DNA sequence: GCTCGACTGACACAACTGTTTCAGTAGCGG
DNA sequence: CCGCTACTGAAACAGTTGTGTCAGTCGAGC
């Protein structure tokens, strides 16, 4: 039996090759007015081939969104735990994630992310379906694993996760719009100080 | 001399009437795949008329975005100052704004807002140009007027503004995606507590 | 009554959309 | 050499897009 018969379609070599090229194209041009012919021309292919490999335009878009999520998840994986395997705590995790979010080389990916997020809100059906809520889940899950287990399971821990996520997302939106990394990073640092001060593992009233 | 000759076009009665109808339509259907013919049919008009009144499709979109910003600004105006004219402080302002953002009846507007924001990031030219950065400015300005003047002019005050904006925006994204108003509102409240604790007007080290 | 401006309907135009049909070609196991 | 699978090119399909053209209606002011 071939390794994976349960997945709808095992991606062929050509498929992943073209997907990668299309992904680079989409990072430059956005997903909003993506069109098959210009895309195909830019990556040295043809609409016919894209249809053959991805069935639909929707299939292509789904594959591209999944590809973007892969980049996101590999980043999140590097954040989770320290070298000794223990949870690193919420605040250090935020520091790492923010460094990644604020890095200039990730702007395109994060703009694409924002585009997909907003679109999945307005049009909850089709290829974009569920992108926004999936992302929220992904991040909240990772942030939970960063918390020490006592905090993780408490109600306040859940609140602190949600709050941390909100700060990251809001700061990201700001920096994407204004490019004023200094101002926004100062705000994030301020928040980290606030969170440290109220850290339930250091504050024992 | 007529009242306004400097503005490019004084909106006629018919123009604002159709704009209002189109605005309602766009709140339902989103701006991403807006098309003249379906829109015109839905609001009892014709593409011809829309072209006549707004020149372009881009002109229409610009008018719609301006219309959306109007709703945003009228909300922000109500937040600024207390009845006696004094600044109400950052934390009470956040409370008011969040109540508005979390209200279910504003979901459509806020989704439209998110859509326009993301789009203006990816495609910085055309009708969407500058929407994101304009919005950041609008909000930061209003938040500044809410701060007592000593805080407003300090560097830390600026940081607190940016942070407050980030929390609001991030929490908004979360609630738009998940609809979990209880969880997100708890996070915002938590943040308000943190901010109160570190309020420079009450903390005098 | 006439004119002028605001507004509108019907239709055509070229460009572009996703998708399909038909006809291949290249490589590879038998 | 055969047949099979993976892939590709050219062209066409029907539908939609924004926009332009020409003509027309309607109401207000002279």
């Amino acid at each position: 039996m071939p390794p994976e018969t349960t997945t709808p379609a095992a991606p062929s070599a050509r498929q992943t090759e073209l997907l990668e090229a299309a992904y680079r194209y989409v990072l430059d041009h956005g997903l909003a007015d993506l069109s098959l012919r210009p895309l195909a021309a830019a990556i040295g292919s043809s609409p016919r081939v894209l249809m053959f490999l991805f069935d639909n335009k929707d299939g292509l878009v789904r594959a591209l969104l999944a590809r973007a999520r892969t980049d996101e998840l590999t980043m999140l994986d590097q954040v989770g735990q320290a070298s000794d395997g223990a949870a690193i705590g919420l605040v250090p995790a935020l520091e790492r994630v923010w460094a990644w979010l604020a890095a200039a080389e990730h702007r395109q990916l994060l703009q694409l992310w924002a585009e997909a997020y907003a679109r999945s809100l307005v049009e909850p059906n089709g290829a974009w379906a569920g992108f926004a809520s999936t992302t929220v889940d992904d991040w909240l899950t990772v942030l939970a694993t960063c918390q020490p287990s006592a905090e993780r399971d408490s109600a306040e821990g859940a609140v602190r996760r949600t709050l941390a996520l909100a700060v990251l997302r809001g700061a990201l939106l700001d920096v994407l719009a204004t490019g004023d990394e200094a101002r926004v990073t100062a705000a994030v640092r301020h928040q980290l100080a606030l969170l440290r001060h109220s850290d339930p593992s250091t504050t024992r009233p």
Side-chain angles (χ1 to χ4, degrees), chain A:
Chain A
M1 189 199 289
E4 30 189 345
T5 43
T6 61
T7 50
S12 72
R14 185 68 178 137
Q15 187 166 358
T16 63
E17 181 188 349
L18 277 185
L19 178 60
E20 218 60 23
Y23 181 50
R24 261 165 295 169
Y25 177 88
V26 163
L27 283 178
D28 282 347
H29 299 77
L31 263 172
D33 42 18
L34 179 66
S35 190
L36 290 187
R37 265 172 268 247
L39 165 66
I43 67 178
S45 180
S46 76
R48 176 68 186 81
V49 172
L50 294 175
M51 295 292 291
F52 175 75
L53 292 173
F54 300 96
D55 293 351
N56 278 339
K57 186 192 178 182
D58 270 24
L60 212 206
V61 171
R62 259 188 291 266
L64 287 168
L65 291 178
R67 177 62 184 79
R69 192 166 97 107
T70 295
D71 274 1
E72 202 185 333
L73 289 179
T74 61
M75 180 278 280
L76 289 175
D77 274 353
Q78 299 167 358
V79 169
Q81 48 220 6
S83 52
D84 59 354
I88 65 171
L90 193 58
V91 172
L94 291 189
E95 261 170 336
R96 292 192 193 180
V97 175
W98 177 248
W100 191 88
L101 290 176
E105 62 263 33
H106 300 139
R107 287 284 146 84
Q108 286 183 314
L109 169 59
L110 293 169
Q111 284 186 11
L112 184 66
W113 177 89
E115 201 182 346
Y117 194 103
R119 180 98 191 215
S120 86
L121 297 178
V122 178
E123 195 176 3
N125 299 331
W128 316 76
F131 183 87
S133 51
T134 299
T135 295
V136 173
D137 267 11
D138 286 344
W139 287 61
L140 283 181
T141 303
V142 169
L143 291 181
T145 69
C146 296
Q147 295 176 305
S149 59
E151 178 185 348
R152 175 167 53 234
D153 301 332
S154 72
E156 191 188 342
V159 167
R160 285 167 58 90
R161 282 198 293 275
T162 297
L163 177 56
L165 178 61
V167 171
L168 288 176
R169 292 269 161 87
L172 173 61
L173 282 190
D174 192 329
V175 103
L176 285 179
T178 67
D180 193 345
E181 189 186 324
R183 175 177 54 86
V184 182
T185 294
V188 172
R189 292 234 176 84
H190 190 78
Q191 175 72 2
L192 294 181
L194 292 182
L195 284 175
R196 257 188 293 260
H197 244 244
S198 76
D199 191 329
S201 66
T202 66
T203 313
R204 302 287 173 84

